[in-house]
Amino acid sequence: MQALPMKLKPVFLFLIGSSILFSSCATLKGKYRRDLLNKSLVGSPLFNSHFTGFALYDPEDSTYLYKLNDDKYFTPASNTKLLTFYAGLTMMRDSIPGLRYKVINDSLFFTGTGDPTFLHPDFEEQPILEMLQDTSYSLHYVKPDFNDDQFAPGWSWEDYEYYFQPERSAFPIYGNTIRYAYDSIKDSFAVEPRFFSAFAETRTIDSEKKSPYRLKNTNIFSFAPDTARSNYKNSVPFKTSDELTIALLEDTLKRKVNWAKGFNFNSSQLTYSRPSAQLFALMLKRSDNLAAEHILYLCASEMNLPLNAEAVIRYAQEHNLKIYPKPPVWKDGSGLSRYNLMTPRGMIEVLNHISTKVSINEMKQLLSIGGVDGTLKDWYKPREGESPYVFAKTGTLSNNHNLTGIIQTQSGKHLFFSFMNNNYPTGSRPVKFEMEKVMRLIYERY
């Protein structure tokens, strides 16, 4: 190697020295940030009172910036919906299969695909309804090939009457719930769909009976609706059945619907109802459980698999969502099951998988936005002059609260994080307040 000319040596040595100094400063800065996070997490009496896991990841550099119990299993609750989201991204088209049908002579035979948006009050446009209304063919409902129970493994049996646990079915209709809709002019509530009016008692808020109430194996309801509740929370799931589906269809369509049993759907067609992104947004922002469970059935319809959640989950894990070294224990689409288990590091891997299908900016719009919408509307609010900085999926069950998503720091970086808290003995509010301090620190320091 030739010696450097004397006039270049000082420049060369200066560049080397500057590089070493810059690297040393970056290392010290990284250590300082980790120490701050460590103090906020490990040094917190609240986080030490239960089981806490945290992972912070830079997707640009593919490096973990901080880890705490990141390889330990937690109950993820609705963070499970991120797995379901990725299954939908990889197994569904950009539109939802709304109906499977076959025309023979003057008859239209149809069956369910699992589309949860049919006559759902949050979706004004109803192309499948219009198709059934406008056709001149006679209508023949075919019992769907549905291979699941109404509730998934690990669901709480006593929550059958609460808005967040509607039954799973192959042909959801009206979101598989009745709703109490408030009329501000008459200052009264009406039952929707009106088909159930004769079976739904409306009580006062201060009634001694708990609210809501539905006899377990019947469709007899008693409910104290509240104007302070969100519309979708003023609802009660109904008991699903093929007989009820046909009755609701006839009541809505105002025409006869025949029941065809044992029909063969070979050479049938799928018709599509709406963009898949609309359903993904409902699932992720509101944390809608019906949407999540039925995305798995929509995947099955697209892949010609049985309408069975376990089959879709198994297929997704074997072909699309491979997570090492600790794969998820994945039992349902929504996260209602307490059998689900996931590590913070595994959740980061899920985000990495999702980012191969949609951009980070698209992910930010589909997730709940701190201080703006969805389940984060009242949390992680930006201060005056700031833009929203937390975009994430919440996951809450009794004694468990998790948050997984994207934080956009003050410096403009996008970081992935998974923040998991299990087995605290209090309500979730103290945990959320402490989590907010940590997320604010990351926003300001990274």
Side-chain angles (χ1 to χ4, degrees):
M1 179 178 175
Q2 291 184 339
L4 287 168
M6 288 299 295
K7 65 172 75 175
L8 292 181
K9 280 186 178 180
V11 176
F12 182 71
L13 293 173
F14 172 77
L15 290 174
I16 292 175
S18 298
S19 177
I20 292 171
L21 182 63
F22 178 80
S23 177
S24 177
C25 288
T27 301
L28 287 172
K29 195 172 184 179
K31 183 179 184 304
Y32 174 67
R33 290 166 172 165
R34 286 193 298 274
D35 288 345
L36 284 176
L37 270 178
N38 217 43
K39 185 177 179 181
S40 297
L41 288 160
V42 179
S44 165
L46 186 141
F47 290 134
N48 280 319
S49 71
H50 59 265
F51 190 35
T52 298
F54 187 76
L56 184 66
Y57 179 84
D58 186 341
E60 188 176 346
D61 296 337
S62 301
T63 55
Y64 280 90
L65 305 177
Y66 185 88
K67 295 182 289 186
L68 173 67
N69 292 324
D70 64 300
D71 62 344
K72 301 294 192 297
Y73 279 112
F74 290 76
T75 300
S78 283
N79 275 196
T80 305
K81 291 181 173 74
L82 289 170
L83 283 72
T84 303
F85 177 39
Y86 185 71
L89 285 173
T90 54
M91 299 170 71
M92 289 168 56
R93 302 184 188 186
D94 59 4
S95 295
I96 295 171
L99 201 70
R100 185 174 294 279
Y101 71 98
K102 187 174 182 179
V103 174
I104 299 178
N105 299 325
D106 61 351
S107 299
L108 174 68
F109 296 85
F110 66 95
T111 194
T113 59
D115 180 2
T117 70
F118 180 64
L119 293 175
H120 193 293
D122 284 3
F123 295 93
E124 185 175 345
E125 293 183 2
Q126 289 291 330
I128 303 303
L129 174 65
E130 292 173 8
M131 172 185 170
L132 296 177
Q133 282 178 327
D134 296 344
T135 183
S136 59
Y137 297 119
S138 62
L139 296 178
H140 301 264
Y141 171 87
V142 179
K143 182 180 177 66
D145 185 16
F146 185 67
N147 298 325
D148 262 340
D149 293 326
Q150 282 86 2
F151 295 159
W155 285 16
S156 176
W157 67 268
E158 63 184 356
D159 288 341
Y160 70 90
E161 58 188 352
Y162 288 92
Y163 74 92
F164 55 79
Q165 193 167 294
E167 293 187 357
R168 305 185 300 178
S169 66
F171 203 112
I173 184 168
Y174 292 107
N176 285 352
T177 64
I178 71 166
R179 297 196 180 198
Y180 289 80
Y182 180 63
D183 186 329
S184 58
I185 297 175
K186 296 181 179 179
D187 190 26
S188 63
F189 285 88
V191 174
E192 295 179 354
R194 296 181 67 181
F195 177 89
F196 288 102
S197 296
F199 312 102
E201 174 194 5
T202 303
R203 294 182 280 102
T204 57
I205 298 288
D206 56 0
S207 169
E208 291 183 3
K209 290 183 181 180
K210 70 174 184 175
S211 178
Y213 184 76
R214 192 198 91 205
L215 295 178
K216 187 177 179 185
N217 294 312
T218 70
N219 280 320
I220 299 175
F221 306 88
S222 179
F223 191 52
D226 184 354
T227 55
R229 287 194 189 104
S230 301
N231 286 337
Y232 70 92
K233 291 184 178 181
N234 268 322
S235 61
V236 189
F238 57 71
K239 184 73 181 169
T240 60
S241 68
D242 291 301
E243 291 84 356
L244 179 59
T245 298
I246 291 174
L248 286 169
L249 284 170
E250 290 187 332
D251 184 69
T252 304
L253 296 170
K254 308 303 180 189
R255 59 182 297 184
K256 175 69 176 175
V257 178
N258 302 287
W259 190 349
K261 299 183 180 180
F263 184 80
N264 190 325
F265 265 107
N266 289 340
S267 302
S268 61
Q269 294 179 270
L270 284 174
T271 187
Y272 292 80
S273 62
R274 70 192 71 254
S276 302
Q278 293 180 7
L279 186 59
F280 293 150
L282 176 69
M283 172 182 70
L284 295 172
K285 286 185 179 292
R286 185 189 290 175
S287 201
D288 190 279
N289 294 324
L290 183 79
E293 293 301 326
H294 285 76
I295 283 172
L296 297 181
Y297 298 137
L298 294 171
C299 290
S301 291
E302 282 286 13
M303 301 292 291
N304 238 0
L305 294 171
L307 292 185
N308 174 268
E310 183 181 356
V312 175
I313 289 170
R314 184 170 57 250
Y315 183 94
Q317 288 189 273
E318 289 175 356
H319 297 88
N320 303 325
L321 194 60
K322 295 183 179 180
I323 295 175
Y324 302 106
K326 291 189 171 182
V329 179
W330 185 9
K331 295 295 183 180
D332 68 2
S334 62
L336 282 172
S337 175
R338 288 188 180 259
Y339 296 161
N340 292 313
L341 292 172
M342 196 71 185
T343 69
R345 178 185 283 263
M347 293 306 310
I348 296 293
E349 290 191 44
V350 174
L351 292 178
N352 273 324
H353 275 81
I354 292 170
S355 68
T356 66
K357 300 296 179 184
V358 296
S359 70
I360 287 181
N361 283 331
E362 288 175 302
M363 289 170 65
K364 285 164 61 179
Q365 293 307 308
L366 287 168
L367 293 166
S368 292
I369 302 174
V372 176
D373 63 17
T375 55
L376 291 181
K377 186 175 182 179
D378 298 324
W379 296 93
Y380 308 99
K381 294 181 178 179
R383 295 174 183 171
E384 187 175 352
E386 294 177 347
S387 298
Y389 63 96
V390 173
F391 309 82
K393 182 71 205 74
T394 54
T396 307
L397 292 169
S398 298
N399 314 109
N400 295 296
H401 179 71
N402 313 298
L403 191 68
T404 296
I406 301 164
I407 180 166
Q408 183 173 353
T409 68
Q410 204 166 35
S411 67
K413 287 187 72 69
H414 287 106
L415 303 177
F416 292 165
F417 71 90
S418 184
F419 203 160
M420 309 190 87
N421 293 273
N422 280 194
N423 304 325
Y424 49 80
T426 63
S428 64
R429 287 185 68 82
V431 177
K432 291 176 181 177
F433 277 120
E434 201 73 4
M435 290 170 67
E436 198 160 23
K437 294 177 186 177
V438 175
M439 299 307 291
R440 185 76 201 178
L441 186 153
I442 294 169
Y443 167 72
E444 293 176 349
R445 298 288 182 173
Y446 281 82

